[in-house]
Amino acid sequence: MKAAICPEPGRLELIDRTAPGVPPKGWARLKVSHVGICGTDYHIFEGKHPYLEYPRVMGHEISATVVEPGEGVSLAAGTPVIVNPYLSCGTCVACRKEKPNCCTAIKVLGVHTDGAFCEEILVPESNLYPAGDLSLESAATVEFLAIGAHAVRRSLSPAGSRALVIGAGPIGLGTALFSRIAGHNVTLLDASAERLDMAADRLGFADGILAGDGALEAGLSATNGDGFDVVFDATGYSGSMEKSFAFVAHGGCLVFVSVVKDDIRFSDPEFHKREMMLVGSRNATRQDFEHVAASIRAGHVPVGALITHRTTLDAVVSDLPRWAHEKAGLIKAVVQVSR
């Protein structure tokens, strides 16, 4: 089968490799349909991912069709599926708490093990959710949107909350969409006026704040001096994460959607006087995947406005390196692997 492989930072190659064989018990062999390109994929290509061994086949935002169900698998051949790429151990403390998204031995397809920039893959049935009437292109957006849906659920913030989403990249926009679906009044903050304009034009987020001098004052002004009931930081930038505390209202919640290697410093007196809740959010669970799929079906998620770039498995070896640097107009790029 064909596969796009990153043998080392800065290089992508289209190769022939052995296709997966008969799936083991409880697993299924899948024909990959579409794969979204994530910020993680760009980081892997650029050599910026801290926990990765090369060579690596990337791709973890996956839709596919069951080709061969293994022994004990209930999904029939021909079933279109959404793939949850987080392979968990099933026995650790997190898994026992039904939190496989933060399994102590988690392996993410396309990161810790090879992913779906190829024609076929093997995946456990427990990680496969029937796509139903979703198009396979739409199904490939469910994973990245589930990250934001999970963060919103983790915030425990009720309808009517004033929400600030910091970072208008794909994860931030997904978070903003599901914050709006939860009934929050959403404001976006980003360093790019172009991204704020695109979020307003394509997704209807009219309330935007440009990062920099005056951003905090603008945020306080927008909330009558209170601050925001819930703040989601989806920047993956430690400087922004440290500044995000100041935007939170007394009694409010701050959710770190992204993760960085750096230590995060904040003022303990400011944290305590607000009686803030600080929440980490990692990956997503089946509940989030199903919420996203239902929201797409209900017309609450404008998938057509999110997908701005398309390519094929043959062309991704040249398109992904280019898009790693040419970000203008880019929200989500999707690779069509098969028809």
Side-chain angles (χ1 to χ4, degrees):
M1 68 175 181
K2 290 190 295 185
I5 194 166
C6 186
E8 61 185 9
R11 191 157 60 93
L12 274 180
E13 295 178 353
L14 190 67
I15 64 168
D16 287 318
R17 68 173 353 190
T18 302
V22 176
K25 182 179 180 179
W27 290 53
R29 181 165 60 91
L30 308 178
K31 177 184 178 182
V32 177
S33 177
H34 292 74
V35 187
I37 301 177
C38 177
T40 298
D41 299 318
Y42 295 118
H43 290 158
I44 292 170
F45 172 74
E46 294 171 325
K48 296 178 180 178
H49 198 285
Y51 310 116
L52 186 115
E53 293 182 359
Y54 298 88
R56 177 62 68 227
V57 175
M58 298 181 286
H60 63 270
E61 301 176 3
I62 311 161
S63 67
T65 301
V66 175
V67 174
E68 181 182 4
E71 181 185 349
V73 172
S74 61
L75 294 169
T79 304
V81 292
I82 301 160
V83 178
N84 178 334
Y86 320 127
L87 306 184
S88 57
C89 72
T91 59
C92 74
V93 61
C95 291
R96 295 197 304 271
K97 293 178 180 178
E98 298 185 352
K99 293 176 67 70
N101 57 301
C102 58
C103 168
T104 61
I106 199 166
K107 290 186 177 181
V108 180
L109 294 175
V111 181
H112 306 99
T113 187
D114 281 347
F117 281 6
C118 59
E119 294 179 303
E120 292 188 352
I121 55 174
L122 298 178
V123 179
E125 183 183 22
S126 58
N127 288 72
L128 303 177
Y129 314 141
D133 58 357
L134 285 186
S135 72
L136 283 167
E137 184 178 69
S138 293
T141 68
V142 171
E143 189 274 341
F144 98 84
L145 291 166
I147 300 292
H150 184 71
V152 171
R153 184 162 64 90
R154 290 274 292 151
S155 77
L156 305 177
S157 298
S161 297
R162 295 166 296 184
L164 177 68
V165 178
I166 305 175
I171 297 299
L173 292 175
T175 302
L177 284 168
F178 280 88
S179 181
R180 185 166 67 189
I181 288 169
H184 302 165
N185 301 310
V186 180
T187 299
L188 287 175
L189 189 155
D190 196 87
S192 168
E194 177 195 5
R195 280 200 170 274
L196 291 175
D197 289 343
M198 186 162 54
D201 294 342
R202 298 179 72 92
L203 302 172
F205 291 108
D207 296 327
I209 298 173
L210 190 64
D213 294 340
L216 178 58
E217 290 74 13
L220 293 174
S221 176
T223 56
N224 298 316
D226 290 338
F228 292 89
D229 302 308
V230 58
V231 176
F232 301 95
D233 192 289
T235 62
Y237 172 53
S238 58
S240 171
M241 295 165 76
E242 291 181 347
K243 292 177 181 177
S244 63
F245 286 80
F247 288 91
V248 182
H250 282 237
C253 176
L254 173 59
V255 183
F256 284 160
V257 189
S258 53
V259 62
V260 295
K261 287 184 66 178
D262 306 328
D263 292 337
I264 302 297
R265 299 174 60 87
F266 60 91
S267 166
D268 186 62
E270 290 296 319
F271 175 73
H272 267 83
K273 80 177 185 182
R274 288 171 166 79
E275 198 180 52
M276 282 174 54
M277 184 165 65
L278 177 61
V279 176
S281 183
R282 186 181 185 192
N283 299 327
T285 66
R286 180 168 191 147
Q287 179 179 348
D288 305 305
F289 278 74
E290 291 178 344
H291 177 39
V292 171
S295 297
I296 295 174
R297 291 188 186 99
H300 300 319
V301 179
V303 172
L306 290 169
I307 300 174
T308 55
H309 294 54
R310 293 173 171 86
T311 188
T312 63
L313 186 61
D314 290 341
V316 73
V317 295
S318 57
D319 285 337
L320 188 151
R322 178 162 50 84
W323 294 334
H325 304 287
E326 296 177 7
K327 299 292 189 184
L330 175 64
I331 299 178
K332 174 56 60 177
V334 174
V335 183
Q336 181 171 334
V337 176
S338 65
R339 294 186 182 276

